[in-house]
């Protein structure tokens, strides 16, 4: 994930935040200068005599903010309660199909949480949730019946 922000909170300078898929390797570039990593979530910005700590809070699912210059800069917003409920609606019906249903439902619920940030309107999120519920149920049903048929052969 790579996010670039340039606004008043960043003093009209480019703030580039990069994070790998697992959230372990993070890097911040501010005004063309790559910040020194102090620990897991703290970075140091140094220009001349001035030093400033940038503290990263959150993750890609929960929302990422950076505390810099005494203010919080929001990189990705927090999930709303409607989005969390829709993810549960995707996951819970697939539990009927056991292990395979849980697997597909969980993967598609997390996929929904990643994709829902791209949708702006509530109806787009609802349509996406309905599509993922249908996909989850169909995959769970097909795989569980295939696996049951396979077990009957033995």
């Amino acid at each position: 994930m790579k996010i670039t922000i340039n606004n008043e909170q960043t003093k009209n300078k480019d703030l580039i935040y990069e994070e790998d898929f697992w959230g372990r390797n993070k890097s911040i570039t501010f005004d063309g200068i790559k910040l020194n990593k102090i620990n897991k979530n703290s970075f140091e910005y140094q220009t001349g005599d001035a030093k400033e700590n940038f503290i990263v809070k959150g993750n890609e699912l929960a929302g990422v903010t950076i505390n810099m210059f005494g203010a919080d800069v929001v990189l990705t917003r927090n999930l709303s309660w409607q989005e969390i409920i829709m993810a549960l609606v995707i996951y819970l019906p697939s539990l009927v199909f056991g292990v395979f249903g849980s697997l597909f439902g969980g993967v598609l619920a997390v996929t929904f949480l990643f994709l829902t940030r791209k949708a702006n309107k509530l109806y787009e999120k609802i349509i996406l949730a309905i599509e993922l519920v249908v996909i989850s149920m169909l995959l769970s049903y097909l795989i569980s019946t295939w696996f049951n048929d396979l077990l009957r052969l033995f």
Side-chain angles (χ1 to χ4, degrees):
M1 166 178 78
K2 182 177 180 180
I3 299 171
T4 304
I5 293 181
N6 185 339
N7 58 21
E8 294 88 26
Q9 290 181 321
T10 63
K11 298 185 178 183
N12 294 321
K13 298 177 182 176
D14 286 337
L15 172 70
I16 302 170
Y17 174 77
E18 294 182 82
E19 181 179 337
D20 68 351
F21 180 75
W22 301 109
R24 294 190 178 143
N25 297 327
K26 300 174 185 174
S27 67
I28 299 176
T29 305
F30 183 70
D31 195 25
I33 301 170
K34 186 166 182 166
L35 277 59
N36 298 325
K37 191 170 190 175
I38 297 172
N39 61 28
K40 183 179 176 184
N41 293 322
S42 296
F43 295 84
E44 183 179 62
Y45 174 64
Q46 184 173 3
T47 57
D49 296 334
K51 288 184 181 180
E52 179 69 32
N53 285 335
F54 287 34
I55 300 171
V56 179
K57 299 175 188 172
N59 57 35
E60 192 172 353
L61 277 178
V64 178
T65 60
I66 296 179
N67 186 309
M68 57 188 272
F69 304 117
D72 285 338
V73 177
V74 177
L75 300 179
T76 58
R77 65 175 177 78
N78 295 338
L79 293 170
S80 68
W81 65 271
Q82 295 113 339
E83 294 166 340
I84 295 170
I85 296 295
M86 285 186 244
L88 286 173
V89 167
I90 293 169
Y91 177 68
L92 291 177
S94 60
L95 289 176
V96 173
F97 296 103
V99 174
F100 295 114
S102 299
L103 177 72
F104 291 126
V107 167
L108 290 174
V110 171
T111 301
F112 172 78
L113 292 176
F114 282 110
L115 294 176
T116 191
R117 292 187 199 276
K118 308 245 188 279
N120 294 328
K121 307 277 187 215
L122 180 61
Y123 71 87
E124 293 172 346
K125 295 174 186 183
I126 292 171
I127 291 170
L128 179 62
I130 291 170
E131 289 173 349
L132 291 177
V133 165
V134 170
I135 290 170
S136 174
M137 296 298 284
L138 286 174
L139 281 175
S140 300
Y141 175 74
L142 291 173
I143 296 297
S144 65
T145 56
W146 172 79
F147 191 71
N148 283 338
D149 291 342
L150 184 66
L151 287 177
R152 288 184 191 148
L153 293 175
F154 297 105

